[in-house]
Each structure stands twice: as C-alpha cells, then as structure tokens.
C-alpha cells in the first residue's frame, strides 16, 4: 500500500473514532427524536405518515441497525394512530404528531432510548467516512496526492462536520449527496458513456433522497451543462444532443429511483389518509394551484409516491420562507438575517481553515489576473471562457458554492451553520488545491528547470518552509478540536472567544440542541443534588434520565433560589412574556446575568447554585 494511502486510512480512522466516541453519551437532540423513530416506522410499517418534510433515505439507513433490537412499537401513540379528519381546525399540527410518536417510541414504550440512539448514529458516521473517502479520491484524481491529503485533513478534523456526522440528521448526508453526485456528474461529463450515465443517474436519485436542499443540484447541473455547451464552440450541437439529452435521461433514472423508494414508503399508507394529510399540511401553503395539484397527485394510485415526495419539497419551501425563532447577535427573531451564515461560518470554522481559505482565494485571484494580464480589456471574454473550458472541476465546485450560499443567504431559516455543510467539502477541496500548488512552488518550479546542488536545495527548502507553515496551522486546528472533545457541537474559534462564549453569538444547533441531558444527569447524581429547577431545550424528557433528583418547573422571569439548570438556547433566546421579536435586554433571564454558573454541561446547559 502506498504511503499516502496509509495516511488517508489513518485520517479516516481518526475521523470515525472521534465521531463514535464523542456521540456515546449524547442524548437525542431536538431533531433526532423525530428522525430515528420515523425511520423505524418506515422500515417496519411501510408507512411514511411521519415527517414527510425530509426524504426517507437517511432515516431508513439510521433505523436499519434498530432491526437487530427488540423494540416495542407504540401503535396507540397519538402521533401514529391519528383519525381521518379533513377539517384543518380539528387536526393536530404535523410536527406535533412527529414529536409525540418519537417520544412515545423512545421514552414511553419500555425501550432503551440511549441504545437506540447509539445504534442509529453509526450509519451516519459511516456516511461521513464515505464522504471523506470521496474527498480524498476526487482531489487526488484531479490534482495530486498532496492535495488529497490536505483536503482530507481539513475534513477529518472539521469540528462542524464531526459535530453533525454523529447525529441522526440529514446535514452530513446532504453534503455527501452534493459532493459524490458532483463526482459522478464530472466523470459522466468527461466520458459520457452509457455506463457513466446510468451510474450518475442512480447516484443522483439517491442524492435527491437525502435532503430536499439537494433539489438545487438539478438547476446547478443543468446550468453547468448549458454554460459548458456555450464555451465549446464548434461542438455545440454535439453537446446539446449528448449532454442535455443525456441529463434528461439522468433525471428520468433519478426520479425512477425516487418513485421506487417512495412507493415502498407509502405501501401501507392508505390513499385516503395520504390525500387528507396532504390537504391539511398544505392548507396554509401560499400558491394554491400547486397545493391542489399535490393533493390530486397524492390521490392517484400510481403517482401518489411522487405526491408524497412533492409534499415534502413544498413543506421545505414553506418553512424556509417562514423562518424559525432563534437568537442571533443580541436579537431574538424569526426573521432571517443576510449576515447570519457568513458570521456563523467565521466563528464556527477553525481559524486556521479560514486563514488558509483566504490565502487560497488570494492565490486563485492572483493566478486569474496573471493569466488575463494586459489583455483584460480586449480579450477578457475569450480568456474567461477558456478558463471555464479548461477547468471544469474547479468552475463546477465554485458554481455549487455560489448557488448554495446564495440560496442560504436569501432564506429566513437561520438555525445553524449545519445548513451550509454541503459547501464545506468543495471549500476544502479548492483550498487544498491552491495550498498544495503553493507548497510545490507553482507549475514553473520543477526540478527539471534547475541545475546544480544549491538551486535544487533552495527549491526543496522553499517547499519545506511552506509545508511547515501549513503543518503548523493544521496542528493548531487538531489540538483546538481535540481539546473540546466530546462537545464538537459547541466548537467556536478564537474570534468568538472559544466555546465558553459561543452563546453570546448564536445558539440552537450551533451550540445547544438538547444533547447534554444525560451528562447533566451524571453531574446531578455525582454531586448528590436532590432537587433541581430546570428550563432546558431538549428532545429527551428530563425524567427519563434524571432519576435521583426531583425536577421542578418555575416561572423563568422570576428570580429563583437553589440549584438551577438552564439551556443556552433558552438563556439567550427566551423573551419576556414570549414577546417575539425582542432584544437581549428584553430576555426573560436578564436577572440571571448577575450570577456565574457553577459549571457548564457540554457548554450547553448552565448550572447555577443560587443561595
């Protein structure tokens, strides 16, 4: 085995080990207690009445190991055994039925919730490993072994990726869908054979089944084909027939895959109930003709699989426009901020990564302007089209980053850096490409261009110096990530003041997603606490984990005494009188600001002892 392959194997092993060990004592977060139970219901009941807002593939994969366990299914749960009620005013909101069923399956049916969560997270970790492998494979194929190693190192010690590849959520799977489908798109583009078309079509279908944000890949790939068709001059008609026609065939294959998967998932979901549920969920959807079409589609025997897929897509569109109440930079609001994702990226990504990405961007612009040179005014268009034609991988990656970030910036759904995870593999790949090129000294600095010992020594010494700089930054990242284990979700870089200060900037899935209730239980038991007042943001009922202390509720706006445990999301994001929006000074917990926590459980639950 080549030495670089051994390094890649060790990096992926380290990634998997960090993910596996850090998730072991995480309780189910707010979304996991919906996704994993839903996936188990899909596999065992062939009925996707739960959580249609997300495609089923990731939930199915997470639930597969649960088939090895003895699990009691709560058939009488109000989240499952819902009546056929056509009147929206008499119906329970869909998200409430998802939550109710999830809680009933995990916590109120005699099942081992923690064991179920541990089993369910393993397939997501394996998806993360698979994505890391493709980052290594693609960057190595495109550029060099060094580029592959640097890109894989970025990925393997990314606290953002590590935080989410160990959870039963769709974010890392969506990143894998974007990157791996682009890999096969690129190979089909370079060699448009029937085999590559079929492989790309099947992979693309699976990608579209991970998360509805992957729907963006359809216009992204379609636009990329059109652009590359225009820049290929004389072969234009060949490209139109071969590539645009081929992409239509790819979409047919992909949606056949989707139809097959969704057909299984609605097999025991009665057509009558599906149609009524669809009408209820879309009763507030803005564009009625599309909602009515979806309702009709859901009532057709052969097409209702597509109806359920479209329902989920429309739910995501509706939620993205509506937003979600959260805390951000001193304000609590449901209105999205255009600065949200740039800011959370700059404080959640390791500072060395940001420095290297900015330097790589500088090198890229330097190369671009150097290529155009004095011909910028007269020949800029022909030179630019030549760059697109000669660098399809780089231009394709940049296009995906641009479109995805544009979509995120215009969305009102600002609840976590996780929503831009699909762009990170492309950022790591492009950064590694420029950094490795810089380490080697560029295309002109080849050994064959030099003669004499001192000239060759100088060339290698320059490479060693540059390599040491990059290695220093990567080691800096490594230790900053290792020191926060197992609380990767709470990682904030030095710009934000580290994980202890993260709650001052953002909360929710950036820091506190309800993952630390088991660790809080251990703290309470260890310190012999007999009574605790709790106000926490969690997917798990506190009483399921905390057995040794009495749990009390209270009015959060009134100062309290005794032991108090408050989640960071609520501490920063709860308004007085539930008035939304509100400013930081209008929070319910302004009275608590004068006290210092005894400890912070996983940086997400603040524990006080107030005399």
């Amino acid at each position: 085995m080549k030495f670089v392959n051994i390094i890649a194997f060790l990096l992926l092993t380290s990634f998997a080990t960090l993910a596996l060990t850090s998730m072991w004592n995480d309780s189910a977060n707010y979304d996991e207690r919906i996704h994993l139970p839903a996936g188990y219901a899909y596999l065992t009941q062939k009925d996707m009445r739960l959580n249609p807002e997300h495609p089923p593939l990731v939930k199915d994969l997470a639930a597969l190991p649960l088939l090895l366990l003895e699990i009691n299914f709560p058939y009488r749960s109000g989240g499952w055994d819902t009546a056929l009620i056509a009147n929206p005013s008499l119906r329970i909101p869909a998200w409430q039925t998802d939550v109710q069923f999830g809680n009933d399956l995990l916590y109120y049916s005699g099942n081992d919730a923690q064991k179920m969560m541990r089993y369910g997270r393993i397939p997501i970790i394996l998806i993360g490993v698979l994505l890391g492998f493709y980052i290594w494979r693609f960057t190595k194929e495109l550029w060099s072994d060094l580029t592959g190693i640097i890109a894989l190192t970025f990925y393997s010690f990314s606290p953002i990726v590590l935080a989410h590849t160990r959870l039963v959520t769709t974010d890392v799977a969506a990143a894998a869908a974007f990157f791996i489908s682009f890999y096969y798109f690129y190979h089909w583009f370079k060699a448009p054979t029937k085999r590559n078309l079929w492989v790309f079509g099947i992979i693309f279908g699976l990608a579209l089944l991970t998360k509805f944000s992957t729907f963006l890949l359809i216009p992204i790939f379609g636009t990329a084909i059109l652009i590359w068709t225009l820049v290929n001059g004389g072969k234009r008609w060949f490209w139109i027939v071969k590539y645009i026609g081929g992409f239509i065939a790819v979409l047919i294959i992909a949606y056949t895959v989707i139809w097959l998967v969704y057909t299984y998932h609605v097999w025991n979901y009665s057509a009558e109930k599906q149609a009524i549920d669809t009408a209820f969920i879309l009763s507030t959807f803005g564009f009625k003709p599309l909602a009515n079409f979806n309702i009709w589609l859901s009532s057709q025997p052969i097409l209702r699989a597509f109806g359920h897929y479209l329902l989920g897509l429309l739910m995501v569109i509706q939620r993205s426009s509506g937003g979600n109440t959260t805390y951000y930079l001193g304000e609590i609001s449901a209105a999205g901020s255009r600065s949200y994702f740039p800011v959370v990226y700059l404080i959640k990504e390791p500072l060395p990564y940001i420095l290297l990405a900015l330097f790589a961007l500088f090198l890229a612009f330097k190369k671009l302007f150097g290529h155009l040179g004095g011909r910028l005014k007269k020949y800029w268009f022909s030179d630019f089209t030549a760059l697109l034609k000669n660098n399809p991988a780089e231009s394709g990656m940049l296009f995906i980053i641009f479109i995805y970030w544009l979509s995120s910036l215009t969305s009102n759904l600002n609840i976590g850096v996780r929503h831009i995870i699909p762009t990170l593999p492309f950022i790591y790949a492009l950064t590694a490409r420029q950094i490795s090129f810089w380490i080697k000294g560029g295309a002109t600095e080849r050994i064959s261009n030099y003669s004499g010992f001192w000239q060759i020594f100088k060339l290698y010494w320059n490479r060693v110096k540059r390599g040491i700089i990059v290695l220093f930054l990567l080691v800096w990242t490594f230790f900053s990530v290792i020191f926060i284990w197992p609380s990767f979700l709470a990682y904030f870089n030095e710009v934000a003041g580290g994980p202890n200060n993260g709650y001052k900037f953002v909360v929710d899935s950036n820091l506190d997603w309800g993952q630390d209730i088991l660790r809080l239980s251990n703290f309470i038991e260890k310190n012999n606490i007999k009574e605790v007042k709790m106000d926490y943001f969690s997917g798990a009922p506190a009483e399921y984990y905390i057995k040794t202390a009495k749990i009390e509720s209270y009015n959060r706006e009134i100062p309290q005494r005794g032991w108090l445990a408050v989640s960071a999301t609520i501490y920063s994001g709860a308004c007085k009188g539930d008035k939304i929006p509100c400013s930081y000074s209008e929070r319910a917990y302004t009275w608590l600001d004068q006290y210092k926590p005894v400890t912070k459980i996983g940086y997400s639950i603040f524990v006080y002892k107030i005399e």
Side-chain angles (χ1 to χ4, degrees):
M1 182 182 288
K2 291 175 62 176
F3 181 65
V4 291
N5 292 341
I6 295 174
I7 296 176
F9 174 78
L10 292 175
L11 286 171
L12 289 173
T13 302
S14 299
F15 174 85
T17 302
L18 288 171
L20 183 65
T21 55
S22 64
M23 69 83 172
W24 203 252
N25 289 321
D26 272 18
S27 51
N29 68 39
Y30 212 81
D31 284 14
E32 286 182 301
R33 51 83 181 264
I34 294 174
H35 290 177
L36 186 62
Y40 184 74
Y42 301 164
L43 293 182
T44 58
Q45 309 300 316
K46 298 181 184 179
D47 186 328
M48 196 180 165
R49 71 183 67 183
L50 298 168
N51 195 228
E53 187 177 348
H54 299 277
L57 183 61
V58 178
K59 292 174 282 187
D60 288 347
L61 294 174
L64 273 176
L66 270 58
L67 300 180
L68 303 174
L69 304 176
E70 291 288 336
I71 294 176
N72 300 317
F73 191 94
Y75 289 101
R76 295 185 179 275
S77 168
W80 180 261
D81 187 21
T82 54
L84 289 173
I85 303 174
N87 187 347
S89 65
L90 301 177
R91 292 287 298 270
I92 299 173
W95 67 269
Q96 288 187 13
T97 61
D98 295 341
V99 169
Q100 185 176 351
F101 175 81
N103 285 343
D104 286 341
L105 178 68
L106 289 170
Y107 307 112
Y108 301 129
S109 297
N111 298 315
D112 188 336
Q114 196 62 25
K115 188 175 184 179
M116 290 170 67
M117 293 312 309
R118 288 166 180 164
Y119 273 53
R121 289 165 179 158
I122 291 173
I124 313 302
I125 293 173
L126 294 177
I127 291 173
V129 172
L130 181 67
L131 173 55
F133 169 76
Y134 270 94
I135 291 173
W136 150 250
R137 178 177 178 176
F138 198 12
T139 51
K140 182 169 68 79
E141 286 180 8
L142 288 172
W143 300 303
S144 68
D145 288 348
L146 179 61
T147 306
I149 290 295
I150 294 175
L152 182 55
T153 303
F154 287 156
Y155 176 81
S156 297
F157 299 109
S158 165
I160 297 175
V161 177
L162 281 168
H164 292 278
T165 195
R166 37 191 282 292
L167 304 175
V168 184
T169 53
T170 56
D171 303 294
V172 170
F178 269 82
F179 195 84
I180 295 172
S181 61
F182 179 73
Y183 173 84
Y184 286 102
F185 169 71
Y186 178 79
H187 277 73
W188 167 70
F189 170 74
K190 298 293 286 186
T193 62
K194 288 183 179 180
R195 180 184 180 279
N196 285 346
L197 184 144
W198 274 95
V199 171
F200 173 40
I202 293 171
I203 296 296
F204 194 30
L206 294 174
L208 293 171
L209 285 165
T210 58
K211 192 171 184 175
F212 283 113
S213 61
T214 56
F215 188 80
L216 282 172
L217 285 170
I218 297 175
I220 286 172
F221 288 158
T223 304
I225 290 171
L226 287 174
I227 292 173
W228 285 328
T229 299
L230 293 174
V231 302
N232 268 271
K235 296 182 178 180
R236 191 165 297 160
W237 284 108
F238 167 79
W239 278 61
I240 290 174
V241 173
K242 194 74 174 179
Y243 289 98
I244 296 180
F247 188 57
I248 293 172
V250 164
L251 289 177
I252 293 172
I253 295 169
Y255 273 92
T256 300
V257 171
I258 290 171
W259 180 83
L260 289 171
V261 170
Y262 265 85
T263 294
Y264 174 88
H265 286 78
V266 298
W267 194 264
N268 290 332
Y269 187 20
S270 74
E272 181 187 6
K273 179 169 176 54
Q274 182 184 346
I276 291 175
D277 287 349
T278 301
F280 166 65
I281 292 170
L282 296 180
S283 60
T284 58
F285 191 79
F287 189 57
K288 293 302 179 184
L290 188 54
N292 292 335
F293 172 72
N294 197 168
I295 295 167
W296 173 84
L297 202 62
S298 298
S299 65
Q300 305 305 304
I302 302 298
L303 300 177
R304 68 191 189 100
F306 285 131
H308 215 47
Y309 172 81
L310 180 59
L311 170 64
L313 185 60
L314 296 185
M315 290 176 72
V316 169
I317 293 171
Q318 184 170 248
R319 190 178 180 213
S320 295
S321 61
N324 200 85
T325 301
T326 190
Y327 168 82
Y328 170 60
L329 295 182
E331 297 290 333
I332 299 100
S333 173
S337 171
R338 299 296 171 259
S339 67
Y340 182 85
F341 286 109
V343 168
V344 294
Y345 172 76
L346 291 174
I347 62 177
K348 291 286 289 179
E349 187 78 322
L351 188 54
Y353 286 10
I354 294 171
L355 295 175
L356 287 169
L358 291 174
F359 183 57
L361 194 61
F362 164 77
L363 293 174
F365 275 111
K366 182 180 177 182
K367 182 180 177 182
L368 174 64
F369 289 121
H371 175 79
L372 297 178
R375 301 171 297 168
L376 182 59
K377 293 182 180 179
K378 189 175 182 180
Y379 300 106
W380 69 271
F381 183 75
S382 60
D383 283 356
F384 183 70
T385 55
L387 283 173
L388 290 178
K389 182 178 179 180
N390 297 328
N391 299 278
E394 292 92 331
S395 58
M397 290 182 183
L398 286 170
F399 188 56
I400 289 174
I401 294 170
F402 173 77
I403 295 298
Y404 197 96
W405 270 80
L406 181 64
S407 173
S408 299
L409 291 172
T410 56
S411 170
N412 289 326
L413 193 61
N414 293 169
I415 55 176
V417 72
R418 62 192 178 94
H419 284 170
I420 57 170
I421 288 178
T423 64
L424 294 184
F426 299 103
I427 293 173
Y428 295 158
L430 292 172
T431 301
R433 186 253 188 276
Q434 293 296 331
I435 296 302
S436 64
F437 194 74
W438 174 71
I439 290 174
K440 292 179 179 179
T444 58
E445 294 196 26
R446 302 180 186 279
I447 296 177
S448 59
N449 296 334
Y450 292 82
S451 61
F453 172 79
W454 288 111
Q455 285 187 325
I456 295 175
F457 175 80
K458 183 179 179 181
L459 171 63
Y460 276 108
W461 179 237
N462 285 335
R463 291 181 177 180
V464 169
K465 288 189 294 184
R466 292 168 179 172
I468 289 173
I469 293 172
V470 174
L471 182 62
F472 168 76
L473 293 172
L474 293 178
V475 170
W476 172 1
T477 298
F478 172 79
F479 281 108
S480 70
V481 171
I482 293 298
F483 285 157
I484 200 176
W485 179 97
S487 302
F488 295 130
L489 196 69
Y491 180 91
F492 286 84
N493 65 27
E494 293 79 359
V495 173
N500 272 311
N501 289 315
Y503 72 96
K504 298 176 182 178
F505 296 87
V506 287
V507 285
D508 208 284
S509 61
N510 294 299
L511 167 65
D512 168 30
W513 216 359
Q515 73 275 10
D516 285 315
I517 192 70
L518 174 57
R519 295 185 181 94
L520 175 64
S521 172
N522 293 335
F523 175 84
I524 289 172
E525 185 174 354
K526 182 179 178 181
N527 288 273
N528 197 31
I529 298 171
K530 297 303 180 183
E531 188 174 290
V532 61
K533 297 174 181 178
M534 290 188 61
D535 192 4
Y536 75 109
F537 179 77
S538 179
E543 64 273 11
Y544 182 85
Y545 287 101
I546 300 173
K547 306 291 188 182
T548 61
K550 179 183 177 183
I551 303 169
E552 288 190 356
S553 59
Y554 61 95
N555 186 334
R556 62 171 63 122
E557 297 180 28
I558 299 176
Q560 302 293 316
R561 299 292 178 186
W563 284 100
L564 183 67
V566 182
S567 291
T569 295
I570 297 175
Y571 174 81
S572 294
C575 297
K576 287 182 180 178
D578 292 328
K579 171 196 171 185
I580 298 172
C582 72
S583 66
Y584 197 72
S585 62
E586 297 174 305
R587 291 160 40 247
Y589 277 112
T590 52
W591 63 269
L592 196 55
D593 293 345
Q594 62 182 303
Y595 300 102
K596 184 178 180 180
V598 173
T599 188
K600 292 180 181 178
I601 307 297
Y603 304 98
S604 77
I605 302 177
F606 302 167
V607 180
Y608 300 84
K609 187 177 183 182
I610 304 173
E611 302 295 344

